[in-house]
Amino acid sequence: MKIIAWKRDRLEELVELWNKELAVDFPMRKELFIQNSFNDVNVSYEGSYIAVDDQDHVIGFVVAKRWQETIDVKMDPKRGWIQVLLIDSAHRGKGLGTKLLKRAEAQLKGNGVEEMQLGGDPFHYFSGIPDQYKNAQKLAKKHGYTKRVDTYDLINHLDKKYDLPVDNSVVFTILKKEEEVDLILFLERCFPGRWVYETMKYFEMNGDGREFVVVKKKGQIIGFCRINDSHSPFIAQNIYWSPLFEQEVGGIGPLGIDANEQKQGYGLAIVQAAIAYLQERNTETIIIDWTILVDFYKKLDFNPWKIYGVYLKDLK
């Protein structure tokens, strides 16, 4: 067995191993793997590795990330991520996972990373360790990671029709391309950081606005809700696992309302508007990823689908 550098020419084998081990819960597409594990500028190529056996077959890999964007948003440059650590089940219990994890951590620490997170990376697959993977949780704890919180993916199979909410004080609408700057300025003011970054990347990747529901008061944006479907300009996080379904799958989130406009029902209303717009696009199932607001979304018939534990580790 040997460990080699992270190489795109191993794509076929990497995706094959993923699907051998994880496809029942998280079916992988080549396009998604390229998008998230090769094309994301935050991938640490020097900190990501592939393990091969004596016949040069891929038997494991780790993808590490650190903040490397030139976009000026409020993201923590000292945070590092393990996007995925996967070992062929026939080769587990031999210390290979530990070896890959330690190598990745050491490389990230050498590049100034002070805190590690398992999942939750830019262009992530998981917000944390999936709850059903108990051995992965044990490995994390063994190597000093502490669980901070559980997060949820929620699902609604749309057994009824949802109408656009009626509120004479505001207007719910789909964002126009020419409103890009208005949306980004709103996000920088109200939600600086990751949501600004993700929105900038959306427009950079040829988004035209159809993936944003906005709520306006007196002509000004006071809230937003991201929606995704199979026609979105890239594969978005809440439709990653749509191959599990035969019908059209849509996604909702993130979303937020200006703090000065909260407590007026606009948050729930914009989710309802998002559902209505997705139904107009023939969506039959909607997924909300990475949330702790289970009771909030239950008001619109969303129920827990997947659970993840968020694990962090101090490298200082």
Side-chain angles (χ1 to χ4, degrees), residues 50-311:
I50 301 170
V52 296
D53 63 15
D54 294 338
Q55 287 73 46
D56 200 40
H57 298 141
V58 172
I59 58 172
F61 61 91
V62 61
V63 182
K65 295 187 181 183
R66 59 186 176 88
W67 184 248
Q68 299 177 76
E69 274 282 6
T70 56
I71 296 175
D72 184 20
V73 295
K74 291 180 172 62
M75 293 287 283
D76 185 359
K78 296 182 179 181
R79 171 69 60 89
W81 300 271
I82 299 298
Q83 182 192 48
V84 59
L85 170 61
L86 181 62
I87 307 299
D88 189 318
S89 53
H91 294 269
R92 293 177 188 171
K94 304 174 184 178
L96 181 54
T98 293
K99 186 175 293 187
L100 289 174
L101 179 61
K102 286 185 174 180
R103 279 204 183 195
E105 287 179 344
Q107 185 61 241
L108 291 175
K109 186 175 182 179
N111 279 291
V113 168
E114 295 182 358
E115 185 175 49
M116 292 292 301
Q117 182 172 345
L118 302 180
D121 46 297
F123 288 93
H124 65 285
Y125 295 120
F126 314 114
S127 55
I129 299 178
D131 188 62
Q132 63 267 47
Y133 298 154
K134 303 302 182 186
N135 287 336
Q137 296 168 27
K138 289 178 183 178
L139 182 70
K141 293 174 184 175
K142 176 182 175 182
H143 292 288
Y145 288 84
T146 302
K147 182 178 176 179
R148 300 294 177 85
V149 68
D150 282 327
T151 66
Y152 298 82
D153 290 353
L154 310 177
I155 196 164
N156 182 340
H157 291 292
L158 301 181
D159 295 326
K160 67 182 184 184
K161 185 178 185 299
Y162 295 80
D163 296 318
L164 280 172
V166 177
D167 186 328
N168 294 330
S169 67
V170 294
V171 175
F172 298 94
T173 185
I174 296 293
L175 188 80
K176 297 182 176 69
K177 178 66 170 72
E178 56 267 29
E179 295 175 313
E180 171 186 346
V181 173
D182 294 338
L183 177 62
I184 291 174
L185 288 174
F186 162 76
L187 291 171
E188 287 178 334
R189 178 171 58 84
C190 296
F191 303 102
R194 185 176 184 126
W195 290 355
V196 176
Y197 169 67
E198 290 177 344
T199 302
M200 287 180 169
K201 296 299 288 187
Y202 164 82
F203 287 109
E204 182 183 301
M205 298 169 78
N206 300 315
D208 63 6
R210 72 182 288 277
E211 277 70 33
F212 287 93
V213 179
V214 291
V215 55
K216 297 179 182 179
K217 178 179 280 189
K218 297 179 180 178
Q220 301 297 311
I221 295 174
I222 63 165
F224 84 106
C225 180
R226 176 74 179 270
I227 58 176
N228 302 294
D229 60 16
S230 61
H231 301 288
S232 297
F234 56 92
I235 306 173
Q237 69 281 1
N238 34 40
I239 60 169
Y240 283 165
W241 317 124
S242 57
L244 290 171
F245 303 88
E246 294 182 1
Q247 67 269 38
E248 179 73 16
V249 174
I252 287 178
L255 65 101
I257 303 294
D258 185 327
N260 295 320
E261 300 288 350
Q262 292 176 8
K263 307 298 183 183
Q264 300 180 66
Y266 298 147
L268 198 64
I270 201 171
V271 177
Q272 183 177 327
I275 297 172
Y277 280 119
L278 284 171
Q279 282 189 311
E280 287 181 5
R281 299 175 184 179
N282 299 314
T283 298
E284 296 181 50
T285 293
I286 296 178
I287 294 167
I288 294 173
D289 75 300
W290 195 347
T291 184
I292 61 172
L293 303 177
V294 177
D295 292 338
F296 172 78
Y297 290 110
K298 193 172 183 62
K299 296 173 184 177
L300 284 169
D301 309 309
F302 286 89
N303 292 298
W305 182 45
K306 296 180 183 292
I307 306 173
Y308 308 85
V310 176
Y311 286 80

